Amino acid sequence: MAGCGPGCCCCCCRERESRTPEELTILGETHEEEDEILPRKDYEKAQRYEAVKWVMVFAIGVCTGLVGLFVDFFVRLFTQLKFRVVQSSVEECTEKGCLALSLLELLGFNLTFVFLASLLVLIQPVAAGSGIPEIKCYLNGVKVPGVVRLRTVVCKAMGVLFSVAGGLFVGKEGPMIHSGAVVGAGLPQFQSISLRKIQFNFPYFRSDRDKRDFVSAGAAAGVAAAFGAPIGGTLFSLEEGSSFWNQGLTWKVLFCSMAATFTLNFFRSGIQFGSWGSFQLPGLLNFGEFKCSESDKKCHLWTAVDLGFFILMGIVGGLLGATFNCLNKRLAKYRMRNVHPKPKLVRVLESLLVSLTTTVVVFVASMVLGECRQMSSNSQSGNNTLTLQEDVNSSVKTFFCPNETYNDMATLFFNPQESAILQLFHQDGTFSPVTLSLFFLLYFLLSCWTYGISVPSGLFVPSLLCGAAFGRLVANLLKSYIGLDHIYSGTFALIGAAAFLGGVVRMTISLTVILIESTNEITYGLPIMITLMVAKWTGDFFNKGIYDIHVNLRGVPLLEWETEVEMDKLRASDIMEPNLTYVYPHTRIQSLVSILRTTVHHAFPVVTENRGNEREFMKGNQLISNNIKFKKSSILTRAGEQRKRSQSMKSYPSSELRNMCDEHIATEEPPEKEDLLQQMLERRYTPYPNLYPDQSPSEEWTMEERFRPLTFHGLILRSQLVTLLVRGVCYSESQSSASQPRLSHAEMSEDYPRYPDIHDLDLTLLNPRMIVDVTPYMNPSPFAVSPNTHVSQVFNLFRTMGLRHLPVVNAVGEIVGIITRHNLTHEFLQARLRQHYQTI
């Protein structure tokens, strides 16, 4: 062997020949290998993977647009059918005095639709609500069961069209975001648990990170399809959803949003106007073009003077939004205590009660509380789009009013919500302040009661309509009592809608862009942004946004954007979990099964114990010998790296390891004495109590056994351990670990994302004394932090890198604890901070 020159003794040569390459590396007696060839990256495979990803992003956008088209088509169909029948009945019964019959017809339609929506939620309970809190949790790193299943999107899409058609004060835009996210999660997998027999051999995107990226794209596509705002959808996914983002994902998400917007626009324009390819309807909700009347020369969309009123409206909108959230939170708590624990039929009855009340209020208010207002002669001149003129004029209701007049309350209540919004934005005819006040109050209370019942429901459109009535009321008061004739009522209605919606959901960047794209008027950018900022600041003074409130009520450990400044008084050692459940590099099957069946952890540290009498243990047990050898190999690798680093700096390492090497060269101890490597290991590690690795962790451990020093080698996931057991990857004690079968990455991820449950497995065919070598499958270099790391640094690393487990490792490579999402929640950090103050 090279290195045994004439000056070397035979003893030294024999000792070197008996050393392993790792041991020779630590002693600095190896030579660099010549002609070392670095492995080449498979660029062709990487390019193919990237191309397939772009294709899938485009397909997600198209499918999300088609889902929006399906919902919009049937909502429009059912709504037109209902209002056509009921309106003709009202007109007939006005003369005959049989309005009660018209009310019964309206109740029949609404109760039937709401009952169907409630039944769909019974099939898939996670389809209730808007779905935005659930998607926000998913993108934040929390897996909500069933939130992205095929059954969920079917029940969601069909349920929301029945909810909207049933006259409830809900919108279809929020559920579109959830539907898009489900499409993004399921389409790249080419499989579904609801369609088990239909499977494709599609080897791509078998990881949580890829799936999360596609869910982000699908959620953005849902926003883009709902509002015709692809840029706003991209920003929504960034602001409200994803905890972790990268530059490449931004471009893909925008492309997906564009595909969704133009797919929906293409088909809606063709179906409604017969002009295929004209792209006249960019989203499910269109605000139309804001333009002053040509005959009014004093009119301006907004002036600098109006900004003061907009700021005041933002303050009022924040207060109203905080009130809305407070009332809805109390209702949600009441439902959790008194409705959800009872049989599911009670939830259906609650939905029917809300539908009954809403229908009666709408009918009675439209017939009794409305005023007959003069129809403006120039009501059409403010809009140069024929479609908008037709929509505004055709939706005017004339119940009990003479010619050339209209019933203002019926025009707002007895119409689809989108048509009512257009009336408030673009109808030049006046609405009575009393009518607007009553409409706002009734709509505020009923929409607050409705959000949270067991039907698919969105909150964007009800909030916009409620806020638009508030803004139109402010405009009427300014015109009538202050004499500001120059103001444009549509602008104040838009700002009111933004103020109330911002006060409820507390969104800023994405909502600003969504509203600008929906209005197609860039000059509204400044007033909308100022209004939303003021509304958010005002509302945040009292409570959180509506989605964050519902996330907290579910007890989901959602991570905020950053921690509070005072949290830096805590360190990683203050918040970590020191009581570890771990596995050894070589572990018996009976121990793995016991660990998996008695814990719910998703990952386990792979460790070896630090012993003082390792040579004796190695003689008595092959399993323990394999674990000790693996630990030695890991130590030698780190020591070799340290020696190379010191040599490159032309200096010697100041470590104890180098000192031992120098002592060996000086003394030249005879080979029959204790092995040098064993001396180094025993000097480095002091004796500690031993627990055989074929025993599983026990609650009966003493404090000394529970917190023994453990050398950290990596992390292995629960899903990986279960897969190894299912496929019988193990070896017997009489064999070498090299005889254990090897699984490829494709085989390990074949069952993704639904790995088998350890409680459902029949492991009787496996010998419990067989040994599993987990080292080829663990992550040997996970992110880790020091015990003295500030909490803010821990939080930023955990959130930005999308981690689920963060080991805490000390300076000598021993794991002392682990940090999970639970340890970084606001409530947990506050509790630990109080403990910190008590100990000072």
Side-chain angles (χ1 to χ4, degrees), residues 662-682:
D662 294 340
E663 290 174 9
H664 167 68
I665 295 174
T667 59
E668 294 186 356
E669 294 182 1
E672 60 269 17
K673 289 192 176 182
E674 191 173 12
D675 183 68
L676 166 65
L677 180 62
Q678 187 65 29
Q679 288 183 18
M680 290 187 288
L681 292 173
E682 289 186 0

Side-chain angles (χ1 to χ4, degrees), residues 288-293 296-307 310 382-383 425-426 428 475 485-495 519-525 527:
E289 182 181 0
F290 288 78
K291 188 177 180 181
C292 288
S293 173
D296 190 355
K297 302 300 181 181
K298 297 181 181 180
C299 176
H300 299 282
L301 291 182
W302 67 278
T303 62
V305 178
D306 298 334
L307 283 177
F310 296 159
N383 307 283
F425 283 172
H426 302 289
D428 288 342
D485 296 330
H486 72 280
I487 64 175
Y488 180 56
S489 300
T491 298
F492 277 77
L494 176 65
I495 296 302
T519 57
N520 198 25
E521 185 60 60
I522 190 63
T523 58
Y524 281 140

Side-chain angles (χ1 to χ4, degrees), residues 27 90 113 118-119 175 189 211 216 277 298 332 338 422 537 568 650 708 715 742 758 761 787 829:
L27 297 174
V90 169
F113 289 146
S118 298
L119 289 182
Q189 302 299 317
K211 189 173 183 179
S216 299
K298 297 181 181 180
N338 302 289
L422 289 177
W537 292 339
D568 262 351
K650 306 301 180 182
R708 69 171 53 81
L715 280 178
R742 300 290 181 180
I758 187 66
L761 298 181
L829 292 178

